[in-house]
Amino acid sequence: MTRVCLVGADDVNLRYELLSRETARDALATYDLREPFENTVGLETVSLGAAVALLNDLNWYLVRFVDEAMVLEPSVSETEWLSRDLATAVRDDTVEPDEIDRFCKIYGLEPASVDDPDGGESEGTERGGVAEGDDRTDATGPRRLVEPMYVTRTGGSVPDYDLRDVEETVVERVTESEFGA
């Protein structure tokens, strides 16, 4: 299964914004929505093509309420997400295999905000979950993605995240144009 994660903008409650609008709600109705990270909406689709099609269907909402749309495609990587643009390029076969993993954006993972009004996990929440089947938990609920760092993979490995002191990170592969190189 291909996973999709929509990361909400700082000033919005992403789940509310998507589900309060009929067109977005209808597009998401057949999916089991989760919250893999704080202020995100996560779901599984049957394929990379279905994930990209869903993101295209939700484009109006993505532009307004989403900071990042990521896709986790197991045929590419079990642990590293793809940006929407890179997922589209992979689906369309417009990138070479050696171009898929060069540019990355690494997010730190911190415990969720202490001012969570719900006091923890909401129904359908998947905690953490960098990769499918990952069952790590945090007593405060979903963890928060923080401060992305742009890096270039060298020698097959991704440089360490050094913007904050975090125990875990999430790696998102991006296109050269998203990287700004």
Side-chain angles (χ1 to χ4, degrees):
M1 296 296 248
T2 301
R3 296 173 63 195
V4 173
C5 181
L6 305 175
V7 180
D10 289 337
D11 60 342
V12 301
N13 177 327
L14 182 59
R15 188 180 196 97
Y16 170 79
E17 294 298 344
L18 292 175
L19 297 179
S20 68
R21 289 165 168 82
E22 184 177 3
T23 304
R25 187 173 53 247
D26 289 348
L28 296 169
T30 60
Y31 299 99
D32 178 22
L33 303 182
R34 300 182 181 269
E35 187 177 17
F37 310 107
E38 186 177 73
N39 197 30
T40 63
V41 172
L43 55 95
E44 291 184 346
T45 66
V46 296
S47 67
L48 179 61
V52 171
L54 175 64
L55 294 174
N56 290 341
D57 289 347
L58 293 173
N59 191 61
W60 189 90
Y61 307 98
L62 300 183
V63 170
R64 286 156 181 78
F65 307 122
V66 172
D67 277 347
E68 193 72 38
M70 302 186 295
V71 176
L72 186 64
E73 170 54 41
S75 68
V76 174
S77 173
E78 293 283 335
T79 59
E80 294 182 356
W81 296 82
L82 305 175
S83 68
R84 178 184 180 186
D85 288 349
L86 189 55
T88 301
V90 169
R91 180 202 62 182
D92 295 343
D93 289 325
T94 59
V95 292
E96 296 297 320
D98 61 335
E99 295 175 27
I100 293 174
D101 68 349
R102 182 165 178 217
F103 302 107
C104 299
K105 190 176 183 179
I106 304 174
Y107 291 91
L109 268 179
E110 290 188 338
S113 300
V114 293
D115 60 347
D116 179 9
D118 297 329
E121 184 178 0
S122 60
E123 184 177 332
T125 299
E126 157 189 298
R127 301 194 183 203
V130 173
E132 181 141 3
D134 185 37
D135 60 359
R136 291 170 292 167
T137 61
D138 182 314
T140 61
R143 292 165 292 162
R144 178 175 36 146
L145 295 169
V146 293
E147 217 169 350
M149 180 174 90
Y150 289 86
V151 299
T152 302
R153 187 182 313 263
T154 56
S157 64
V158 176
D160 290 334
Y161 181 85
D162 61 6
L163 298 179
R164 295 183 188 209
D165 186 23
V166 297
E167 291 184 22
E168 294 182 83
T169 59
V170 172
V171 176
E172 176 188 17
R173 298 177 184 186
V174 298
T175 63
E176 185 174 359
S177 63
E178 290 172 306
F179 186 80

